[in-house]
Amino acid sequence: MPNWLKDAVFYEIYPQSFKDTNCDGIGDINGIIEKLDYVRDLGCNALWINPLFDSPFKDAGYDVRDYKKVAPRYGTNADLYRLFGEAHKKGIHVLLDLVPGHTSEEHPWFLESKKAEKNEYTDRYIWTNCWFYGISGHPYIGGEAERDGCYMLNFFKCQPALNYGFLNRTADWQSAPDAPECIATREALKDIMRFWLDHGCDGFRVDMADSLVKEDDENKSATGAIWKNIREMLDKDYPEAAIVSEWCNPQQALKSGFHADFYLDHHGNGYNTLLRDNETPGGDHSFLKKDGNGDIMRFLIDYLPKYDGTKDDGYISFITCNHDTPRARLTLGYDELKIAWALFLTLPGVPFIYYGDEIGMRYLDIPTKEGGYTRTGTRTPMQWDNSRNHGFSDASSEILYLPQDPAEDAPTVEDQEKDPSSLLNVTKELIALRHKYTDLQADGSFDVIYAEKKQFPFVYRRGNLLLAINPSENKASAALTEEAYILPNDQKATKLTPVYSIGEFKQEANTLTLKGQSFVVFSLEA
Ligand code: NOJ
């Protein structure tokens, strides 16, 4: 486990929208370099940058045309190498986005693979052996190649699936996962990883990490075997490199060698019940919504088995949002967001803050761009200040990659820096708190102290710290049982000293009362 992950707080940057330094209306690498002090001062010590590689951008860069070349619109490879160096000087690690399951249909491997005559790349992708036979249960395309066959898609039409084989094979055109052509795909992936690691990157967020071997078993053991092999390479040659998976199944992902796995807004996930409760008939009952009448148990029932089952293998990553997810500001106001970030930044694992969430940027209802569809509204340019284009770009507003929040009260970093109680300043305090107390970091223990169905507050312990959160708009109390006072070394705490709070609280004998929308952290002392 790379040591730096233990105290990592990530900041996700969507490069299109962070900072434009050459006035073409789209963000660039030099813009990220310019804003590294901002990231550091926020308290974030790691970055995940969405794909920066050469691409036709039919899926915002998740359709890679050249894995080893920076897209000219963002700069050059030399700029990216400089970003690694500058980030490191400020104590910031950098993860790139690795897309292992598919390429762009314009990738040179695919152009070769489409050819009728056999060549090195014929089996780099998944093809049937006849133009007339498709692939049941999977999306595919026929009629577009000189080659006699249909090819499988991994996501959009522009993203043919790379060939890592089929575990359960039903047709003779399907390769076994250990066939030479599948090993060649895996080795090509390792070569890409080595290329960027050798140039100074610190690891990868891995796109659709579970999508490699098709017709895998329910444990995804064949896909897992590929990642274990890759992890062996990392442990041997790049022990400080980290890999974080988009798998959303920590039991599988962490056993397969990932250091952390995202807890995403997938159907049925406990994470949704906290702030994106869009599946409950009868309204939004998110726990973090002040009038949601939420229920922390809906989260814990899903999260606790995941946490208990994986805490020795790696980390679960909570996100404030990501480039695929509606921004939390869609349904929560600033005060609710403060409490929400308080929870995410004090849970175990490695947290990720999506750019702009620290100031509560809005989700905008805007037309799709680069295959974003409903995701586009979450990807708008960062709002730095009150100057032209909110300081994102000096270009004319008409050519901005995406429009900005037109509201009079659009949040900006400049405004929030001036207000001590702003979401930005509270987020900074919360991150600083996490850095200050090892107990709050990735490895610190996590115990539920008070959690009752449809009741507030939620009280939990992280090592020698006792935390209570009341996101509802009403006052709420909890009785602190004996258990709350037993320290990890089995001594009994006699003193509770508040070390941080948002809103108001009162502790009398064994009763803890929090006003609506409050949060408190106590240090437990023997
Ligand atoms: C997941 C990425 O987060 C998303 O943005 C992308 O469209 C798909 N994978 C396909 O690569």
Side-chain angles (χ1 to χ4, degrees):
M1 179 65 71
N3 218 31
W4 60 271
L5 270 187
K6 295 178 193 295
D7 183 30
V9 178
F10 274 88
Y11 191 72
E12 178 191 347
I13 292 181
Y14 188 71
Q16 286 89 325
S17 290
F18 200 53
K19 173 74 188 170
D20 170 24
T21 57
N22 64 349
C23 297
D24 59 357
I26 191 157
D28 44 53
I29 293 172
N30 285 332
I32 300 176
I33 295 174
E34 207 173 276
K35 294 293 183 186
L36 284 174
D37 282 348
Y38 170 78
V39 172
R40 182 202 51 206
D41 295 347
L42 180 61
C44 290
N45 51 14
L47 293 178
W48 155 28
I49 310 176
N50 293 106
L52 284 159
F53 315 108
D54 182 45
S55 164
F57 289 100
K58 292 185 180 173
D59 182 16
Y62 284 95
D63 46 331
V64 181
R65 187 164 49 199
D66 185 343
Y67 284 103
K68 295 184 181 173
K69 184 180 169 209
V70 163
R73 72 186 200 181
Y74 297 133
T76 62
N77 281 28
D79 292 334
L80 187 52
Y81 307 154
R82 194 162 70 85
L83 166 62
F84 298 146
E86 293 300 315
H88 292 161
K89 280 187 212 158
K90 296 176 202 293
I92 298 172
H93 289 86
V94 183
L95 298 193
L96 296 179
D97 208 318
L98 181 72
V99 188
H102 48 267
T103 66
S104 157
E105 62 199 338
E106 294 181 21
H107 194 291
W109 295 343
F110 189 64
L111 301 181
E112 286 299 306
S113 197
K114 282 170 91 174
K115 290 184 178 164
E117 71 273 16
K118 252 191 162 318
N119 61 57
E120 191 186 340
Y121 301 101
T122 298
D123 297 320
R124 178 58 51 92
Y125 297 82
I126 298 174
W127 291 87
T128 67
N129 54 6
C130 171
W131 64 274
F132 195 65
Y133 294 116
I135 307 171
S136 102
H138 296 273
Y140 64 89
I141 299 283
E144 285 224 354
E146 200 178 76
R147 171 179 180 161
D148 181 11
C150 298
Y151 62 91
M152 190 190 282
L153 301 175
N154 214 35
F155 198 69
F156 286 151
K157 188 251 159 198
C158 61
Q159 291 154 319
L162 284 161
N163 187 16
Y164 295 91
F166 286 70
L167 182 62
N168 295 303
R169 292 176 292 288
T170 50
D172 54 8
W173 51 265
Q174 297 171 346
S175 306
D178 60 355
E181 59 273 21
C182 300
I183 301 297
T185 310
R186 185 193 74 194
E187 293 305 305
L189 182 65
K190 284 157 77 174
D191 174 60
I192 295 161
M193 295 174 80
R194 283 183 174 279
F195 176 83
W196 289 110
L197 291 167
D198 289 341
H199 280 103
C201 107
D202 300 292
F204 304 91
R205 172 270 185 185
V206 179
D207 185 71
M208 294 171 66
D210 60 334
S211 74
L212 305 192
V213 176
K214 309 303 178 195
E215 307 301 339
D216 208 344
D217 58 27
E218 57 174 359
N219 298 319
K220 299 248 173 175
S221 59
T223 297
I226 295 174
W227 290 115
K228 281 183 197 153
N229 175 280
I230 290 174
R231 173 69 184 267
E232 271 174 34
M233 170 186 87
L234 296 180
D235 286 350
K236 183 166 157 284
D237 296 339
Y238 307 93
E240 284 299 298
I243 45 175
V244 181
S245 50
E246 184 196 34
W247 192 311
C248 204
N249 186 327
Q251 288 100 324
Q252 290 178 358
L254 303 181
K255 287 262 181 284
S256 302
F258 282 95
H259 298 104
D261 183 39
F262 287 111
Y263 198 18
L264 297 170
D265 60 332
H266 288 184
H267 177 77
N269 253 0
Y271 169 74
N272 281 354
T273 71
L274 293 174
L275 76 172
R276 294 191 176 82
D277 182 30
N278 43 22
E279 291 169 1
T280 316
D284 180 350
H285 294 295
S286 293
F287 177 70
L288 294 163
K289 198 164 158 38
K290 67 178 180 196
D291 56 356
N293 296 315
D295 181 357
I296 192 65
M297 291 313 295
R298 291 170 65 210
F299 162 68
L300 291 173
I301 280 167
D302 183 63
Y303 172 66
L304 282 178
K306 288 179 173 155
Y307 170 70
D308 287 332
T310 60
K311 61 181 178 222
D312 298 328
D313 300 322
Y315 306 127
I316 294 175
S317 279
F318 284 89
I319 58 169
T320 59
C321 181
N322 70 18
H323 61 290
D324 292 331
T325 306
R327 284 203 189 258
R329 178 76 195 278
L330 182 63
T331 52
L332 303 184
Y334 291 123
D335 287 341
E336 289 164 307
L337 291 173
K338 288 177 192 168
I339 302 294
W341 299 172
L343 180 63
F344 292 153
L345 288 165
T346 56
L347 287 172
V350 182
F352 281 68
I353 296 174
Y354 185 56
Y355 81 97
D357 276 352
E358 71 279 21
I359 55 168
M361 270 174 59
R362 289 192 171 87
Y363 173 83
L364 300 186
D365 185 10
I366 51 175
T368 184
K369 181 97 170 184
E370 296 184 354
Y373 300 97
T374 53
R375 306 175 294 181
T376 308
T378 291
R379 301 176 174 184
T380 58
M382 180 68 180
Q383 293 152 200
W384 295 105
D385 59 36
N386 301 320
S387 68
R388 171 198 190 123
N389 301 324
H390 286 306
F392 163 67
S393 167
D394 287 334
S396 118
S397 305
E398 293 80 65
I399 70 155
L400 289 196
Y401 161 78
L402 283 173
Q404 284 183 310
D405 186 347
E408 277 284 301
D409 63 349
T412 64
V413 171
E414 181 185 7
D415 285 345
Q416 294 200 12
E417 272 176 344
K418 289 184 209 141
D419 170 6
S421 65
S422 67
L423 178 61
L424 176 63
N425 280 318
V426 168
T427 307
K428 281 188 192 176
E429 288 169 7
L430 289 163
I431 300 174
L433 190 75
R434 189 173 173 102
H435 292 314
K436 181 169 173 194
Y437 292 100
T438 327
D439 282 343
L440 289 181
Q441 296 165 12
D443 286 323
S445 61
F446 173 72
D447 299 289
V448 173
I449 300 296
Y450 178 88
E452 294 290 332
K453 204 172 164 47
K454 296 200 171 168
Q455 299 293 318
F456 297 88
F458 169 43
V459 185
Y460 51 109
R461 221 184 44 208
R462 305 277 332 267
N464 286 332
L465 299 174
L466 185 76
L467 299 92
I469 188 163
N470 177 20
S472 89
E473 56 197 347
N474 305 316
K475 189 160 90 175
S477 299
L480 296 180
T481 53
E482 282 273 291
E483 200 198 339
Y485 296 90
I486 310 290
L487 297 173
N489 63 7
D490 283 339
Q491 276 192 308
K492 192 162 184 248
T494 50
K495 220 170 119 202
L496 287 187
T497 313
V499 294
Y500 182 75
S501 60
I502 301 172
E504 289 175 36
F505 65 93
K506 200 157 76 189
Q507 188 234 329
E508 278 172 336
N510 284 343
T511 305
L512 179 60
T513 305
L514 282 89
K515 263 203 161 172
Q517 298 198 276
S518 297
F519 170 73
V520 58
V521 183
F522 296 98
S523 155
L524 291 162
E525 285 145 40

